[in-house]
Amino acid sequence: MRLHSAILSSLAHHRITSRFRQIYSLQRPANATAPMATSEDSLRRALAEKQSTIDASGNTIRQLKSSGASKSEIDEAVKALNALKLEKTSIETQLKASISGDANGSVMSRDAFRQAVVNTLERRLFYIPSFKIYRGVAGLYDYGPPGCAVKSNVLAFWRQHFVLEEDMLEVDCPCVTPEVVLKASGHVDKFTDLMVKDEKTGTCYRADHLLKDHCKDKLEKDLAMSADKAAEFKHVLAVLDDLSAEELGAKIKEYGIVAPDTKNPLSDPYPFNLMFQTSIGPSGVSPGYMRPETAQGIFVNFKDLYYYNGNKLPFAAAQIGQAFRNEISPRQGLLRVREFTLAEIEHFVDPDDKSHPKYSEVEKLEFLMFPRDLQMSGQSAKRLCLGEAVSKGIVNNQTLAYFIGRVYLFLTRLGIDEERLRFRQHLPNEMAHYAADCWDAEIESSYGWIECVGIADRSAYDLRAHTDKSGVALVAQEKFAEPKEVEKLVITPIKKELGLAFKGNQKMVVEALEAMSEKEAMDMKYVLETKGEVEFEVCTLEKTVTITKKMVTISKEKKKEHQRVFTPSVIEPSFGIGRIIYCLYEHSFYMRPSKAGDEQLNVFRFPPLVAPIKCTVFPLVQNQQYEQVAKNISRSLTAAGISNKKDITGTSIGKRYARTDELGVPFAVTVDSTSSVTIRERDSKDQIRVSIDEVAAVVKEVSEGRATWTDILKKYPAHTSASADE
Amino acid sequence: MRLHSAILSSLAHHRITSRFRQIYSLQRPANATAPMATSEDSLRRALAEKQSTIDASGNTIRQLKSSGASKSEIDEAVKALNALKLEKTSIETQLKASISGDANGSVMSRDAFRQAVVNTLERRLFYIPSFKIYRGVAGLYDYGPPGCAVKSNVLAFWRQHFVLEEDMLEVDCPCVTPEVVLKASGHVDKFTDLMVKDEKTGTCYRADHLLKDHCKDKLEKDLAMSADKAAEFKHVLAVLDDLSAEELGAKIKEYGIVAPDTKNPLSDPYPFNLMFQTSIGPSGVSPGYMRPETAQGIFVNFKDLYYYNGNKLPFAAAQIGQAFRNEISPRQGLLRVREFTLAEIEHFVDPDDKSHPKYSEVEKLEFLMFPRDLQMSGQSAKRLCLGEAVSKGIVNNQTLAYFIGRVYLFLTRLGIDEERLRFRQHLPNEMAHYAADCWDAEIESSYGWIECVGIADRSAYDLRAHTDKSGVALVAQEKFAEPKEVEKLVITPIKKELGLAFKGNQKMVVEALEAMSEKEAMDMKYVLETKGEVEFEVCTLEKTVTITKKMVTISKEKKKEHQRVFTPSVIEPSFGIGRIIYCLYEHSFYMRPSKAGDEQLNVFRFPPLVAPIKCTVFPLVQNQQYEQVAKNISRSLTAAGISNKKDITGTSIGKRYARTDELGVPFAVTVDSTSSVTIRERDSKDQIRVSIDEVAAVVKEVSEGRATWTDILKKYPAHTSASADE
C-alpha cells in the first residue's frame, strides 16, 4: 500500500497519508522538526521582559506626575520610556522575521516577489485559471501557449534524460481505473484527508488546514504570547500530519476554532476520499476512479514488461500522464491542484543486489542534502558528496543514490538554482513501514521548501499487493548456473490427528500451521520436543488451540534448487511536473530597469532547453525588404525545428526586446540590413553580427546546447547598437 | 452545439448525434448511401432464378426416375443438375464477396490479416489490454514500450507539422470539466447513445448495434433472401444513424431481436449519456465530467488567446490531450475505446474572409476525394486536385482546403498509404445545421474505411454558445481605417403608451419589440403606417397583443461606425491519434519468408520518423571487444538523441534481425570488426560498410530524414554478408 507506516503498524496515530500525500503535502515548516530552542523563543522572552519594563516605566511616570515631580524629571522618564518602546519595536521586528523565516526582516518581500512572478505569468498566459469565463474551478489551471511550450520542453527533456539515456520502458495507461486496482493499492480505503463541515452551511474544510492556520496566525500576530504557549502551537504544527481524527477534533474544540467564513460551529473531523469517482460502462455496477498516480499502471504490467526485457533485472519502466486528486479546498495556487501531470519511474531490482552499473557517473556529485540526523538535531541541510553519503550509510543503496544524482542533474539543467535545491530524507514517522529509504527533492520557492520529486525505495510492497489481489505472481527468477543446495523449512500437519482434535476447524488450523514463519516454526518445534504440547493462536478462529507433538512434524530439509524466485524491489522516482515548472518560473524570474530607468522590466532567464520560444525575429523598421528577410529567417528556423516568433509591429525595438524578455526568449534576431543581422542574447544583452546565411545554423546550435553563447561571442564580431533604442 | 442538424432543426428524425460521434462512429458501409441498384441486387435475383431452375431440374429427375427412364437419360439430367449447382455456388461466392465489399471474394483474408497484425502488436507489447491481471476492462488499452514510442513520435511530428509550422497557440486544459461548460456545448443534454437492456439480467446493449448486427447477419447468411427484403435491410443500415428511439424500438420489435447472450426480451431504447460523470470538491453539489473532447477548453479561452495574438485574426489554437467516452459496449478493438488521445485545432477566421495566406502551398496537391455528389450518385472516391475542388465550389473555402491538404501531407508522411486514404465530404443529413462544410479523412483498414480526422467549418456556433451561457462576449473587432457610414435599425418603444395598455406586462412587450429582426421590424413599420395597428406575438407572454402606431417608432438611421464587431468562424481539424496509429500499423505490416523459407517473418515498414526505435546495435558474435564497440556506438547514438537498443544475446544474427524487423526498427548496426561496422536497412535488407567514427552521424542523418537510404547507399560501399545467417 502506498501509505504511511503509521497506518499499518499498530502505532497510536492513525492519520492516513499516502506516499503520494508526502510528495504533494505542504512542506512542514523548516524548523518544525527541530526540537532545540530557537532564537524565536528567546525573542519572545525578551519581548515579554521589555513589555514589563515598559509597564513599570509607565507606572513610574504616572507616579511622578501625580506626586508633582519636576518637568525635567518627568521628561527624562518619558525619554527613557520612548527608548524602551523603540527597543520593543526592534524586538518585534526581529521576532516577526524569525517567525516568517526571513533573515532580513522583510516579511513582505516573498509575497511581493511571488505577486510579481504570478502577475507576469498570468498576463503573458503562461497559465490561465481554467473555465475563467464561468468563474473558474478552484485547483484547475490551463497552460496557455508559453506555459504549454515550457511543459512540453520539460517533458521532452525528461524523456531524453531518463527514458532514452537509461533505456527505460515507457508505457501509457488510461486515467480511468477500475476499483479493484485501487483497492489492491490501498487508495480506496486509505487515500483520504480529514474534513470538517460548517454545521449550518455544509461548507467543507480540511481539518488540518484550519488547525494549522489557527496556530500560525496566533504565532504571527500574538507577539506577546508566552514562550510556553508558543512552544505548544509549534509542537502542534510539527505533529500535524500525525494527528488522528479524534486528536484533530479535540484540538479544534480546545482552541475554539470555527468556520472561517461564517463563524459557525464545525462538525467532528471525518475522512474524505480524495479520488474522483466515476462509473465504468452503462450498468452503474462497475465503480471506477480517475487514477491518483500513474504508478499502478506500471505495477499491473510488471509481468509483460519483465518478459519484454528478456526476463532480466534490473529494468525501469516509466510513465508520463495526468493524475487526479479531488482536493477538499485547494490553496497555494499552482502548487496544489486537482489535476496534474506526473512523470513516474519504477525501477525494479533484485532486493539482494541494489548496486547500479552507472553509479560511478554520479558518485562524485556534491549538493545540498538534509539527512535524517541533521533534521532531528535541528541543523540545516549540508553540501555532501553523494558517494560519501552512500559509503557512510546515509543513503540506503547505490540505485537510490544513482537516481538522486540523476534527479539533481535533471533539475539543475532545467534551470533550478542549485542553492535552492536540497534532498531531504524522510523521517521515520513519514515513511511507510515497508520502505527502505526515501528522499524528496525539495525546491525553495516563495512558499518555502516544496517537495517536487520523491525518490523512494518501496521494497517489494506494490508488486506483492497486486500479486495477492489478482492471484497473478508478479515475480522474477534467477536461474542458477549450477543447482544450489538450500535448507528448507518443511511443516507437515498430520491431518488425521488434527481432524480428530478440531473437526470442522481443522482446515483453519492446518492453514495457520503452514503459514508459520521459520522462526515461529522452529520455536514450536523446540517447545513440542521439550514439553510435548504448545498453545497456538489461530487468527482465523480468533482463539488459541493446543497443538500436540502428534499433530505436526517440523523439520529442515536440504533441497536442490535450480532457480530463485523472488519479488523484486522497486525504487520509485516520482516527479510533480507542474510543481517543478512553477519553481522554475520563480528561479528564472528577475527584474531590471529599462534603459531610460523609468520602469522595471521583467525577465525569465530560462535556459534555451526550456524556453517556450527559442528566438524572435524583428525587422528593425517596417520595410518590405527587411520583412521579407525576417520571413525567410523565420522559415528556415522553423524548418530546423527551432520555435520562433516574428514581431513586425512598428513598436520600438526596445519595447519588442522587453516583450520577448518577459517570455524568456533567449535570442532575438534583428534585421537591419539585407546581408547580415544582429543576434542579441537576453540576459547579457550582448549582440553579434552574423550573415543571413548562417543565422539559422547559429541559433540552432546555441538553442540546442551544442555551443554556448560564450563560444558564439568568440566566433562572430560584436555589434554595438547605435540604432536600437534599448 | 456540437450536434447534428437533425436535432436542432424540426426534422422528423431526432436521433441525437454529436459532431464527435461523427468522427468516432462506425463508418457507414461504402454502398449504404448509394440509392442506385447494386450488383448485389442482380446477384440475389440470379441466385433466386438459379435456385428455381435447380428445383425444377430436381423435380424432372424424380419424374424420370419414377417413370422408369433409361440410366443414360437420368445420368444426363443429374449431370445437368450438378452443373447448375456449381453455377449456384459460383453466384453465392460472388454474392458473399459483394456483401463483404471484397472484390476477389476472399472473405476471410481481411480477418486473417488483422489477426496477424494484432497478434504481433500484442506479442511485442505495442499495446496491452489495460489491467490485464484483473481480467481487463473493455475499451481500455495501454500503450506498451514500442507503442508508446510510436505515439510520442506521432505527437512530436504533429507539433512540428501543425503547431510550429503554422504558428499555432498550443494550450493544455484539464480533463475534469464542470457541468456548466458541457451544458453550454450541448453535451450534457445531447451526447447520448440509445441503449436497450436485457429485461431479465439488466445487461446493456447499444440499440443501433443490435439492429445493425441483425440486418448484416441476415444479408450475409440468408443468401436466398428476396431482393426486396434485402433492399429493406440495406435501407435500415443506411438510415441507422437517423432513427429515433421510437423508430429503433419499433424495428427491434418487428424483427424480433432479443438479447444476444440470453435470448431474453429487450427494453425499449432510451438515451444514455456517454460522458464519465464525477463530482468536483467534497460537497457533492458540483457535478463534473471527464471531457468528451478537448475543443471546449480552447473555446472558453478564446478571449485571452485573441488578446495574446495581438487582437488579430486569423489564428489557430491547438490542444493534445485525453478525452473520455463511456461507451455502452465497446467493440472493434483499438478503434473504439473509452479513453483516447485527441489532437484538435481550432482555427478562428473572419466569416467574411476565409482565404488562407499559405493556400498556394497546397492547391496543387492531388488525392482521393469523395465529394457529396459522388456519394449520392453511387460512384466511388476520385483523385481530384485540391485547388480545382475549391474553384469548382466542391470544398467550401480556402482555409478548409488548406487544412485538408495539410492533413493529407501529415498522414502520408507518417506512412499512411495514400491509396487507402480518402477525404469524404459529409452528406447533408450528417452535418450540423450551422456547419458550412465538413470532410473526414478516412483510412481503409481491415475494418473498412475508418474516420480518423474530421475537418469541419463549424461557423460561429461554439463561440456563440459560450457567449450566451457565460455572458462574456467571445468576439473579434475589425477596426476600420476610416469610420464607415452604416444604416442601422432603431426601434424605440414608447413606454408611456405601452404602460397604459399593458400594465404589468409592459416589460415583456418592450423586450419583444426590441428583439425584432430587421425584417420583422420593417414589416411592422409598413403595417402600422398603412393600417395603424398590428397583431404581435409576445412569446414570453404566450399570447398575441395589439400594437398601435403610438406605441413604437421604427426607423433606419445612418450612423458612423469605427469598427465591426463579430463572432469569428471556426475551422476545426480534429485528430483521433489512436485510430491513426492503428491504421498506420495495418498499412506498415507485411510478411516475408525467412531465408531458409521455413517461416513467415513479420515486418513493420515504419518510416524512421515514427519507428519506435531508430536503430539496433549487435555485436556479430559474443566477444568483449565487439561488445565494447557496440556500447560506444549505442552511447553516441543516445547522446545524439537517436533511440536505440543493444542486443548482445548470443542468438543468431538472422534471428536478431527478425526480432527488430518485427518492431519496425529501420536500421541495424552489426559490429563485426573494431574499425568499421555494417548498417543494414530493414526493408531492402541492403547493407553498407561505415567506419566506426561515422556510424552515429550516418544513422542520425537518415533517421531524421535529412538523407534517404538511397543517398546513403551511394556514399558508402555495399557489404555483402557472408557471415550473417540471414
Side-chain angles (χ1 to χ4, degrees):
Chain A
M1 236 162 297
R2 323 183 70 65
L3 309 158
H4 269 182
S5 56
I7 306 150
L8 298 169
S9 66
S10 53
L11 293 173
H13 297 310
H14 297 98
R15 185 65 212 300
I16 284 152
T17 324
S18 81
R19 180 270 322 244
F20 193 73
R21 169 116 234 113
Q22 294 160 29
I23 301 172
Y24 271 68
S25 69
L26 281 162
Q27 77 296 348
R28 55 185 61 221
N31 53 2
T33 54
M36 63 179 280
T38 65
S39 67
E40 192 188 319
D41 293 333
S42 54
L43 286 167
R44 280 194 193 273
R45 270 193 294 274
L47 190 65
E49 280 163 26
K50 198 60 68 187
Q51 186 60 50
S52 44
T53 321
I54 287 170
D55 293 346
S57 171
N59 287 338
T60 310
I61 291 170
R62 271 187 292 280
Q63 280 169 8
L64 286 175
K65 280 180 177 168
S66 66
S67 65
S70 72
K71 185 170 179 297
S72 69
E73 214 176 346
I74 294 175
D75 281 355
E76 192 128 333
V78 167
K79 210 172 137 194
L81 176 61
N82 286 341
L84 285 169
K85 284 185 176 163
L86 263 180
E87 284 168 32
K88 182 191 158 200
T89 308
S90 153
I91 298 173
E92 278 177 346
T93 309
Q94 287 176 61
L95 179 53
K96 278 183 193 161
S98 171
I99 292 166
S100 71
D102 198 337
N104 49 27
S106 53
V107 180
M108 283 305 294
S109 69
R110 282 185 167 205
D111 286 347
F113 174 76
R114 183 195 307 150
Q115 213 45 60
V117 179
V118 164
N119 283 349
T120 309
L121 291 173
E122 247 189 278
R123 189 163 36 76
R124 300 311 302 269
L125 297 200
F126 278 86
Y127 76 90
I128 309 165
S130 300
F131 317 112
K132 208 167 91 175
I133 63 170
Y134 293 104
R135 282 169 300 280
V137 174
L140 293 180
Y141 294 91
D142 299 343
Y143 288 83
C148 196
V150 167
K151 182 180 172 188
S152 129
N153 293 336
V154 167
L155 292 178
F157 180 56
W158 195 88
R159 275 210 175 90
Q160 166 72 25
H161 187 76
F162 291 106
V163 180
L164 192 57
E165 290 192 15
E166 309 287 345
D167 266 331
M168 292 178 179
L169 307 182
E170 190 180 348
V171 299
D172 182 6
C173 310
C175 300
V176 174
T177 306
E179 186 169 53
V180 62
V181 174
L182 296 162
K183 194 92 187 166
S185 69
H187 286 89
V188 171
D189 296 324
K190 310 281 173 73
F191 191 63
T192 57
D193 269 343
L194 291 169
M195 182 160 86
V196 288
K197 269 196 180 174
D198 180 319
E199 288 201 335
K200 289 188 181 151
T201 65
T203 307
C204 304
Y205 302 95
R206 252 180 76 171
D208 59 340
H209 280 180
L210 293 188
L211 182 57
K212 180 181 188 163
D213 291 349
H214 179 83
C215 294
K216 285 187 103 174
D217 200 59
K218 286 280 177 198
L219 284 168
E220 273 165 28
K221 298 201 180 139
D222 186 357
L223 296 179
M225 182 192 292
S226 76
D228 280 358
K229 196 72 196 163
E232 180 193 323
F233 283 129
K234 284 160 92 178
H235 175 74
V236 170
L237 287 174
V239 300
L240 202 62
D241 277 354
D242 296 325
L243 296 182
S244 67
E246 293 69 31
E247 288 164 330
L248 260 175
K251 280 283 164 209
I252 285 172
K253 283 226 166 63
E254 178 187 339
Y255 296 152
I257 300 173
V258 291
D261 306 319
T262 61
K263 312 296 168 204
N264 290 333
L266 293 166
S267 73
D268 285 335
Y270 61 97
F272 171 74
N273 194 299
L274 296 172
M275 291 192 293
F276 283 100
Q277 192 174 359
T278 190
S279 182
I280 304 175
S283 67
V285 298
S286 304
Y289 299 90
M290 302 313 297
R291 64 178 174 197
E293 59 177 25
T294 68
Q296 301 307 324
I298 296 176
F299 295 134
V300 299
N301 280 325
F302 172 80
K303 210 178 154 183
D304 280 341
L305 294 171
Y306 179 60
Y307 166 79
Y308 186 83
N309 200 52
N311 293 326
K312 282 203 188 71
L313 284 186
F315 75 90
Q319 179 165 204
I320 297 173
Q322 294 302 90
F324 302 82
R325 184 192 171 103
N326 196 9
E327 288 289 344
I328 293 171
S329 49
R331 316 198 291 187
Q332 285 193 303
L334 294 169
L335 292 180
R336 187 172 291 280
V337 292
R338 284 177 164 150
E339 181 177 338
F340 44 89
T341 301
L342 280 183
E344 296 193 292
I345 295 166
E346 309 296 330
H347 181 91
F348 299 100
V349 285
D350 184 337
D352 295 346
D353 178 12
K354 292 183 180 173
S355 65
H356 195 285
K358 287 161 81 182
Y359 173 65
S360 64
E361 292 178 18
V362 301
E363 65 176 336
K364 298 227 164 48
L365 291 175
E366 274 188 32
F367 43 78
L368 281 180
M369 296 184 80
F370 202 10
R372 208 170 280 156
D373 60 343
L374 290 187
Q375 297 172 57
M376 308 280 274
S377 60
Q379 299 175 63
S380 322
K382 245 191 214 161
R383 249 186 117 74
L384 291 177
C385 164
L386 189 54
E388 275 179 43
V390 174
S391 59
K392 287 182 180 161
I394 297 171
V395 173
N396 184 282
N397 59 69
Q398 278 192 10
T399 299
L400 193 63
Y402 181 72
F403 281 109
I404 291 174
R406 291 293 291 170
V407 169
Y408 164 79
L409 293 173
F410 174 73
L411 293 173
T412 50
R413 281 180 195 160
L414 283 183
I416 293 294
D417 175 8
E418 72 158 329
E419 299 298 320
R420 287 182 278 170
L421 166 64
R422 72 181 184 194
F423 288 82
R424 190 179 71 77
Q425 190 173 30
H426 277 205
L427 294 174
N429 72 330
E430 291 177 88
M431 237 171 26
H433 68 109
Y434 47 80
D437 195 3
C438 186
W439 293 76
D440 287 337
E442 295 185 334
I443 305 177
E444 198 181 19
S445 79
S446 65
Y447 291 102
W449 287 96
I450 302 298
E451 299 158 30
C452 290
V453 187
I455 308 152
D457 181 337
R458 298 176 52 74
S459 76
Y461 195 82
D462 309 279
L463 292 181
R464 286 217 180 107
H466 286 294
T467 298
D468 290 349
K469 188 85 181 173
S470 69
V472 176
L474 304 178
V475 293
Q477 296 88 30
E478 185 199 0
K479 293 224 159 38
F480 299 138
E482 288 176 15
K484 277 191 189 170
E485 194 157 87
V486 288
E487 225 182 24
K488 276 228 146 182
L489 177 72
V490 179
I491 300 172
T492 315
I494 313 299
K495 296 201 179 157
K496 196 184 145 201
E497 295 293 330
L498 290 162
L500 284 171
F502 303 115
K503 313 230 158 54
N505 291 337
Q506 180 205 351
K507 191 165 161 267
M508 258 90 102
V509 179
V510 167
E511 282 171 0
L513 286 170
E514 287 174 341
M516 282 189 293
S517 71
E518 179 155 338
K519 188 177 176 308
E520 286 167 337
M522 296 318 286
D523 286 351
M524 178 180 279
K525 181 181 170 71
Y526 175 78
V527 179
L528 287 177
E529 280 167 5
T530 50
K531 303 196 176 160
E533 62 175 51
V534 65
E535 292 300 289
F536 180 60
E537 195 187 335
V538 181
C539 294
T540 46
L541 293 176
E542 293 185 336
K543 68 176 180 186
T544 299
V545 300
T546 305
I547 301 291
T548 66
K549 222 171 160 176
K550 289 185 296 182
M551 294 178 187
V552 62
T553 65
I554 296 167
S555 62
K556 281 204 170 177
E557 286 177 15
K558 289 199 172 161
K559 283 197 171 179
K560 283 213 170 180
E561 295 213 326
H562 297 265
Q563 62 173 12
R564 181 181 141 235
V565 176
F566 60 96
T567 305
S569 278
V570 63
I571 287 164
E572 175 189 79
S574 172
F575 298 70
I577 297 297
R579 290 190 158 196
I580 293 171
I581 291 174
Y582 177 76
C583 291
L584 188 59
Y585 289 152
E586 282 204 2
H587 287 203
S588 304
F589 184 81
Y590 66 99
M591 290 190 279
R592 61 184 174 197
S594 65
K595 203 183 181 190
D598 55 348
E599 53 176 336
Q600 288 287 311
L601 302 175
N602 304 318
V603 189
F604 283 106
R605 64 165 86 74
F606 299 128
L609 179 70
V610 294
I613 297 166
K614 309 304 177 203
C615 183
T616 36
V617 187
F618 309 133
L620 182 63
V621 290
Q622 280 185 308
N623 154 328
Q624 227 185 331
Q625 267 191 319
Y626 289 2
E627 279 175 19
Q628 190 54 48
V629 173
K631 213 168 159 179
N632 295 345
I633 292 173
S634 165
R635 197 170 291 181
S636 54
L637 285 169
T638 302
I642 302 297
S643 60
N644 63 91
K645 203 181 157 91
K646 287 194 304 290
D647 184 347
I648 54 165
T649 56
T651 319
S652 79
I653 195 76
K655 285 229 169 91
R656 283 186 278 170
Y657 282 145
R659 264 189 213 160
T660 70
D661 290 347
E662 206 176 48
L663 284 176
V665 181
F667 307 106
V669 170
T670 303
V671 179
D672 55 2
S673 95
T674 53
S675 59
S676 72
V677 297
T678 71
I679 305 180
R680 173 218 190 231
E681 194 274 336
R682 175 195 59 209
D683 299 303
S684 62
K685 299 196 239 173
D686 290 336
Q687 293 183 54
I688 53 166
R689 278 217 85 76
V690 178
S691 85
I692 281 170
D693 308 335
E694 284 178 275
V695 61
V698 170
V699 173
K700 186 176 167 73
E701 208 182 346
V702 75
S703 295
E704 292 182 346
R706 282 175 294 114
T708 64
W709 179 249
T710 317
D711 300 336
I712 300 291
L713 269 183
K714 285 180 198 146
K715 270 178 69 182
Y716 295 90
H719 173 83
T720 41
S721 142
S723 56
D725 57 348
E726 195 191 12
Chain B
M1 234 163 297
R2 322 183 72 65
L3 309 161
H4 270 182
S5 56
I7 307 148
L8 298 170
S9 66
S10 52
L11 293 173
H13 297 311
H14 297 98
R15 184 67 210 299
I16 285 152
T17 324
S18 80
R19 180 269 323 242
F20 194 73
R21 169 116 233 113
Q22 293 161 29
I23 301 173
Y24 272 69
S25 67
L26 281 163
Q27 79 294 348
R28 56 185 61 220
N31 53 1
T33 54
M36 64 181 279
T38 66
S39 69
E40 191 188 321
D41 292 334
S42 54
L43 286 168
R44 280 193 193 275
R45 269 193 296 273
L47 190 64
E49 280 163 24
K50 196 63 65 187
Q51 186 60 49
S52 41
T53 321
I54 286 171
D55 293 346
S57 171
N59 286 337
T60 310
I61 291 169
R62 272 187 294 278
Q63 279 169 10
L64 286 173
K65 283 180 176 168
S66 65
S67 65
S70 72
K71 185 172 180 294
S72 68
E73 214 175 345
I74 295 174
D75 282 356
E76 191 129 334
V78 168
K79 209 173 140 194
L81 176 61
N82 286 340
L84 283 171
K85 283 183 177 165
L86 264 182
E87 283 168 34
K88 183 189 159 199
T89 307
S90 154
I91 298 172
E92 277 176 346
T93 308
Q94 285 177 63
L95 179 54
K96 278 183 193 159
S98 171
I99 293 166
S100 71
D102 197 337
N104 50 26
S106 55
V107 180
M108 282 307 293
S109 68
R110 281 185 168 205
D111 286 346
F113 174 76
R114 184 195 305 149
Q115 213 44 60
V117 179
V118 164
N119 283 349
T120 310
L121 292 174
E122 246 189 280
R123 189 163 36 76
R124 300 311 301 267
L125 297 199
F126 280 86
Y127 76 91
I128 309 164
S130 301
F131 317 112
K132 208 166 92 175
I133 63 170
Y134 293 104
R135 281 167 302 279
V137 174
L140 293 180
Y141 294 92
D142 298 343
Y143 289 83
C148 196
V150 167
K151 182 180 172 186
S152 134
N153 293 335
V154 168
L155 292 178
F157 180 55
W158 194 88
R159 275 209 175 91
Q160 167 73 23
H161 187 78
F162 291 106
V163 178
L164 191 57
E165 289 192 16
E166 308 287 345
D167 266 331
M168 292 178 180
L169 308 182
E170 190 179 349
V171 299
D172 182 6
C173 309
C175 301
V176 174
T177 306
E179 184 169 54
V180 62
V181 173
L182 296 161
K183 194 92 189 167
S185 69
H187 286 88
V188 172
D189 296 324
K190 310 281 172 74
F191 191 64
T192 56
D193 268 344
L194 291 169
M195 182 160 88
V196 288
K197 269 195 180 174
D198 180 317
E199 288 200 337
K200 288 186 185 155
T201 66
T203 307
C204 304
Y205 302 93
R206 254 181 74 171
D208 58 340
H209 280 178
L210 292 188
L211 183 55
K212 180 181 188 161
D213 290 349
H214 178 84
C215 295
K216 285 187 102 173
D217 200 59
K218 286 281 177 198
L219 284 168
E220 274 165 27
K221 299 201 178 138
D222 186 357
L223 297 179
M225 182 191 293
S226 75
D228 280 358
K229 196 69 195 167
E232 181 192 322
F233 282 130
K234 285 160 92 179
H235 175 74
V236 170
L237 286 173
V239 299
L240 201 62
D241 278 354
D242 295 326
L243 296 182
S244 68
E246 292 70 31
E247 289 165 330
L248 260 175
K251 281 282 163 210
I252 285 172
K253 283 227 166 58
E254 180 186 340
Y255 296 153
I257 300 174
V258 290
D261 305 319
T262 61
K263 312 294 168 207
N264 289 334
L266 294 166
S267 74
D268 285 334
Y270 60 97
F272 171 72
N273 193 297
L274 296 172
M275 291 192 292
F276 282 100
Q277 192 174 359
T278 190
S279 181
I280 304 174
S283 67
V285 298
S286 305
Y289 299 90
M290 302 314 297
R291 64 180 175 196
E293 59 178 25
T294 69
Q296 303 304 325
I298 296 176
F299 295 134
V300 299
N301 280 325
F302 172 79
K303 212 178 153 182
D304 279 342
L305 294 171
Y306 179 59
Y307 166 79
Y308 186 84
N309 200 52
N311 293 326
K312 283 200 189 72
L313 285 185
F315 74 90
Q319 180 165 204
I320 298 172
Q322 294 302 88
F324 302 83
R325 183 190 171 106
N326 196 9
E327 288 289 345
I328 293 171
S329 49
R331 313 200 290 186
Q332 283 194 305
L334 293 169
L335 292 179
R336 187 173 291 280
V337 291
R338 285 178 163 149
E339 181 176 339
F340 44 89
T341 301
L342 280 182
E344 297 193 292
I345 295 165
E346 309 297 330
H347 180 91
F348 298 100
V349 285
D350 184 336
D352 296 346
D353 177 13
K354 292 181 180 174
S355 65
H356 194 286
K358 288 162 79 182
Y359 172 64
S360 64
E361 293 178 17
V362 301
E363 65 178 333
K364 298 227 162 53
L365 291 175
E366 274 187 33
F367 43 78
L368 280 180
M369 296 184 80
F370 201 11
R372 204 171 284 155
D373 61 343
L374 289 187
Q375 296 173 56
M376 308 281 273
S377 61
Q379 299 176 63
S380 322
K382 244 191 213 163
R383 250 184 116 75
L384 291 178
C385 165
L386 188 55
E388 274 179 44
V390 173
S391 59
K392 285 181 180 161
I394 298 172
V395 174
N396 183 282
N397 59 69
Q398 277 191 10
T399 299
L400 193 63
Y402 181 73
F403 279 110
I404 291 174
R406 291 293 291 171
V407 169
Y408 165 79
L409 292 173
F410 173 73
L411 293 173
T412 50
R413 281 180 196 162
L414 283 184
I416 292 295
D417 175 8
E418 72 158 328
E419 299 298 320
R420 287 182 278 170
L421 167 64
R422 72 182 184 193
F423 288 83
R424 190 180 71 79
Q425 189 172 31
H426 277 205
L427 295 173
N429 72 330
E430 290 178 89
M431 236 172 24
H433 68 109
Y434 47 78
D437 196 3
C438 186
W439 292 75
D440 286 338
E442 294 184 336
I443 305 178
E444 199 182 17
S445 79
S446 65
Y447 290 102
W449 288 95
I450 303 297
E451 299 156 28
C452 290
V453 187
I455 309 153
D457 181 338
R458 300 179 49 76
S459 78
Y461 195 83
D462 309 278
L463 292 181
R464 286 216 179 107
H466 286 295
T467 298
D468 289 350
K469 189 85 180 173
S470 69
V472 176
L474 303 178
V475 293
Q477 297 88 30
E478 184 199 3
K479 293 224 158 43
F480 299 138
E482 288 178 14
K484 277 192 188 169
E485 195 158 86
V486 289
E487 229 184 19
K488 277 228 142 183
L489 175 73
V490 179
I491 300 171
T492 315
I494 313 298
K495 297 201 178 157
K496 198 185 142 198
E497 295 292 331
L498 291 163
L500 284 170
F502 302 114
K503 312 231 159 55
N505 291 337
Q506 180 203 351
K507 193 164 159 270
M508 256 90 103
V509 179
V510 167
E511 282 172 0
L513 287 170
E514 286 174 343
M516 282 189 293
S517 71
E518 179 156 338
K519 188 176 175 309
E520 286 167 338
M522 296 318 286
D523 286 352
M524 178 181 278
K525 182 182 168 73
Y526 175 78
V527 179
L528 287 179
E529 278 166 8
T530 49
K531 303 198 177 158
E533 62 175 51
V534 65
E535 292 301 289
F536 179 61
E537 194 186 337
V538 181
C539 295
T540 47
L541 293 177
E542 294 186 335
K543 68 177 181 183
T544 299
V545 300
T546 305
I547 301 291
T548 66
K549 220 172 162 178
K550 288 184 297 179
M551 294 177 187
V552 63
T553 64
I554 295 167
S555 61
K556 280 205 169 176
E557 288 177 16
K558 291 200 169 160
K559 281 198 171 179
K560 285 213 167 177
E561 292 212 330
H562 298 264
Q563 64 174 9
R564 179 179 144 238
V565 177
F566 61 95
T567 305
S569 279
V570 62
I571 288 164
E572 178 189 78
S574 173
F575 298 70
I577 297 298
R579 288 189 161 198
I580 293 171
I581 291 174
Y582 177 76
C583 292
L584 188 58
Y585 289 151
E586 282 205 1
H587 288 202
S588 304
F589 184 82
Y590 66 99
M591 289 189 280
R592 61 183 175 199
S594 63
K595 206 183 176 190
D598 55 348
E599 54 177 334
Q600 287 287 310
L601 302 175
N602 304 318
V603 189
F604 283 107
R605 66 166 84 76
F606 299 129
L609 179 70
V610 295
I613 297 164
K614 310 303 176 202
C615 183
T616 35
V617 187
F618 308 134
L620 181 63
V621 290
Q622 279 184 311
N623 155 330
Q624 225 185 333
Q625 267 191 321
Y626 289 2
E627 279 175 20
Q628 189 55 47
V629 172
K631 212 168 162 182
N632 294 344
I633 291 172
S634 166
R635 197 171 289 180
S636 54
L637 286 169
T638 301
I642 302 298
S643 59
N644 64 90
K645 202 181 157 91
K646 287 194 302 291
D647 184 345
I648 53 165
T649 57
T651 320
S652 78
I653 196 76
K655 284 231 169 89
R656 282 186 279 171
Y657 281 145
R659 263 189 214 160
T660 71
D661 290 346
E662 205 176 49
L663 284 176
V665 181
F667 307 107
V669 170
T670 302
V671 179
D672 54 3
S673 95
T674 53
S675 58
S676 71
V677 297
T678 71
I679 305 181
R680 173 223 191 225
E681 195 272 337
R682 175 195 57 210
D683 299 303
S684 63
K685 301 196 239 172
D686 290 338
Q687 294 184 54
I688 53 167
R689 277 215 87 76
V690 179
S691 84
I692 281 170
D693 309 335
E694 285 177 276
V695 61
V698 170
V699 173
K700 186 176 167 71
E701 208 182 344
V702 75
S703 294
E704 291 182 346
R706 280 176 296 114
T708 64
W709 178 248
T710 317
D711 300 336
I712 300 292
L713 269 183
K714 285 179 199 145
K715 270 177 70 182
Y716 294 90
H719 172 83
T720 40
S721 141
S723 56
D725 56 347
E726 195 193 10

